[in-house]
Amino acid sequence: MTDSVVTHIEDAIAWISLNRPDALNAINDDIRQALPAAIDAADANPEVRVIVLRGSGPRAFCVGADIKEFSAVDAPVAYRQQRAHGHWIAAFDRAVKPVIASIHGYCLGGGLEIALACDIRIAAADATFGFPETGHGIIPAAGGTQRISRIIGMGVALDLILTGERIAAQRALSMGLVSRLAEPDALDGLARAMAGRIALLPPLAAQFAKEAVRAGAEVPLSVGMRHEIDLFTHLLNTEDRLEAAQAFREKRSPRFTGR
Ligand code: CO8
């Protein structure tokens, strides 16, 4: 059996691929287990500085939950399980390293929720986004209703969630759902260039920058600013900060160690 999630590490970048191309990378039980495990493993691997998540095959990043697995559910049991063990999508909130979603083709439902859980979203010009959940009698519930309004604002978020309409990449760019577009055959190159650039940064600065922004979205401004100054203060005494200044003075490239 082929793995439903595949990780390939190269030049400090962990490329994690959802790998069910025949089902347009629909999220089945395998993926629900293997994806958080792959994110946790890449986050813990000292060789890795940045994670890129993408979909295998030419047609989709991910079309959401595997509809062929939909069946009656014992709701109280499912609810209790989730309260006890946490949601699989929480792996993205645990990760300290930057995660880029590199999106081509369909990015629907739970697939869009995965993308929203990443730190940066970039897309191919052929990508299509949408939340079809309400049409299935449910709502996005892997953080989707919460994250999307924080990222693009409540009005546009409700438009997408309530209409269930699919939107094209250009519109996703204009509403801030993704931050960059590339031609489909240039998407991997863009992901590599962005991840490569982040991988060259002092790792703690990249990780603390991510933490400051993400944690700040959950608290009042004054609390976020206190957290920001705490993180900043920790960075003042890192070897990498001193190395950056030294390299600037000596007009050479810095050598960062992560300390
Ligand atoms: N699940 C399983 N298989 C899928 C899915 C899916 N979500 N989407 C597509 N596939 C499969 C198709 O069945 C087909 O397989 P096969 O060839 O074996 O029949 C193959 O992928 C190709 O798909 P199509 O032939 O349909 O390709 P089209 O180009 O005609 O259409 C679409 C592509 C538009 C993406 C279409 O397939 C579609 O609308 N898919 C469904 C999208 C969707 O509604 N996703 C679910 C969203 S809901 C969600 O993610 C949150 C659910 C929370 C679950 C909680 C449960 C308790």
Side-chain angles (χ1 to χ4, degrees):
M1 209 177 92
T2 47
D3 292 335
S4 59
V5 174
V6 175
T7 302
H8 165 73
I9 296 170
E10 195 181 325
D11 298 335
I13 304 168
W15 295 85
I16 300 181
S17 300
L18 302 171
N19 190 37
R20 299 185 68 216
D22 293 344
L24 307 186
N25 302 315
I27 306 163
N28 63 357
D29 274 339
D30 264 5
I31 288 191
R32 270 186 281 269
Q33 288 182 19
L35 178 58
I39 296 285
D40 285 341
D43 202 45
N45 185 336
E47 281 177 36
V48 172
R49 291 198 174 176
V50 185
I51 300 167
V52 178
L53 180 63
R54 58 186 173 174
S56 299
R59 298 199 55 212
F61 174 74
C62 172
V63 289
D66 190 320
I67 298 173
K68 293 173 184 163
E69 284 189 347
F70 277 22
S71 60
V73 170
D74 187 340
V77 172
Y79 180 76
R80 213 168 46 238
Q81 288 263 0
Q82 195 160 300
R83 290 300 293 259
H85 303 294
H87 198 291
W88 58 270
I89 202 91
F92 290 86
D93 300 304
R94 280 196 295 276
V96 297
K97 294 173 184 169
V99 184
I100 300 174
S102 179
I103 303 159
H104 72 288
Y106 292 110
C107 178
L108 302 176
L112 179 49
E113 295 190 270
I114 289 173
L116 289 166
C118 297
D119 302 308
I120 297 175
R121 285 156 294 287
I122 61 172
D126 70 352
T128 313
F129 301 82
F131 273 135
E133 277 88 341
T134 46
H136 291 294
I138 50 175
I139 62 173
T145 62
Q146 302 306 299
R147 293 193 216 268
I148 193 160
S149 51
R150 284 165 167 81
I151 292 169
I152 64 171
M154 196 189 294
V156 205
L158 279 166
D159 177 331
L160 287 183
I161 292 169
L162 289 175
T163 66
E165 271 174 19
R166 293 207 290 264
I167 60 162
Q170 192 59 48
R171 186 148 168 243
L173 178 69
S174 68
M175 58 174 63
L177 187 54
V178 301
S179 56
R180 301 190 197 202
L181 289 189
E183 286 310 312
D185 60 3
L187 183 64
D188 275 352
L190 176 61
R192 183 170 284 108
M194 289 177 73
R197 194 180 166 94
I198 296 170
L200 287 178
L201 295 171
L204 276 181
Q207 291 166 19
F208 282 14
K210 163 177 170 159
E211 180 180 333
V213 173
R214 285 184 76 116
E218 297 184 19
V219 294
L221 180 67
S222 57
V223 177
M225 288 184 70
R226 271 204 301 277
H227 190 49
E228 179 190 76
I229 202 71
D230 284 348
L231 293 171
F232 175 79
T233 307
H234 281 304
L235 290 171
L236 285 178
N237 286 325
T238 59
E239 290 175 17
D240 282 348
R241 185 181 81 83
L242 302 175
E243 163 65 6
Q246 184 77 12
F248 180 80
R249 283 191 294 269
E250 293 172 5
K251 300 186 189 303
R252 62 169 172 80
S253 298
R255 287 177 295 269
F256 296 126
T257 59
R259 287 191 294 274

